[in-house]
Amino acid sequence: MEAFLNLFEEIEELKTGYSKDRLFKCTDEYGDYHLCRFFKIKEMGKASEQYEVLKKLNNQTGFQQVEYILKCQDGEHGVLVYDWAHGINLDEYLQEYP
C-alpha cells in the first residue's frame, strides 16, 4: 500500500465513510487529485464488480469516475482509484440539508 502511495506528490488520509476501507486524497505530479480506496485483497471480487459498474457509467453525470483497480505489491491490499469529486460528501450534505 505504501509503495503505491509513494507514486503521488501529496497524500492525505480521509477519516470519513462507513466502510473499513482506507481512503486517501492524492495529488499526482500534474496537480490532479484522485481518491484512492484501499481494501483487503479478499474483497477483490466485490471491488472488481464495483469497478465494472462504475466503468460502464463513466462520463454520466452524477457518478464518480473510476480510473483503475489493481493489486498492491504488499499482497494484502487492492486499490480502486477514482477522479477526485470536489464538493462535500453525503454525510456532510445530509447534516446541512436534512
Side-chain angles (χ1 to χ4, degrees), residues 85-94 96-97:
H86 295 279
I88 61 175
N89 67 34
L90 183 57
D91 285 339
E92 294 167 342
Y93 179 86
L94 291 174
E96 193 169 328
Y97 304 99

Side-chain angles (χ1 to χ4, degrees), residues 10 25-28 31-35 67 82-86:
E10 295 180 31
K25 179 181 180 181
C26 301
T27 309
D28 66 22
D32 296 325
Y33 297 104
H34 308 272
L35 173 67
E67 296 177 0
Y82 305 87
D83 277 343
W84 181 257
H86 295 279

Side-chain angles (χ1 to χ4, degrees), residues 34-49:
H34 308 272
L35 173 67
C36 297
R37 189 183 97 196
F38 291 90
F39 53 88
K40 298 286 185 184
I41 199 70
K42 66 181 179 180
E43 300 293 329
M44 183 59 107
K46 181 179 174 183
S48 294
E49 289 174 4

Side-chain angles (χ1 to χ4, degrees), residues 52-90:
E52 291 300 326
V53 168
L54 289 172
K55 198 69 175 163
K56 290 178 183 174
L57 297 170
N58 263 356
N59 300 318
Q60 297 218 11
T61 304
F63 292 95
Q64 190 168 22
Q65 305 300 295
V66 66
E67 296 177 0
Y68 53 91
I69 185 172
L70 53 83
K71 293 179 185 176
C72 294
Q73 290 178 342
D74 66 9
E76 297 178 20
H77 298 93
V79 62
L80 271 165
V81 180
Y82 305 87
D83 277 343
W84 181 257
H86 295 279
I88 61 175
N89 67 34
L90 183 57

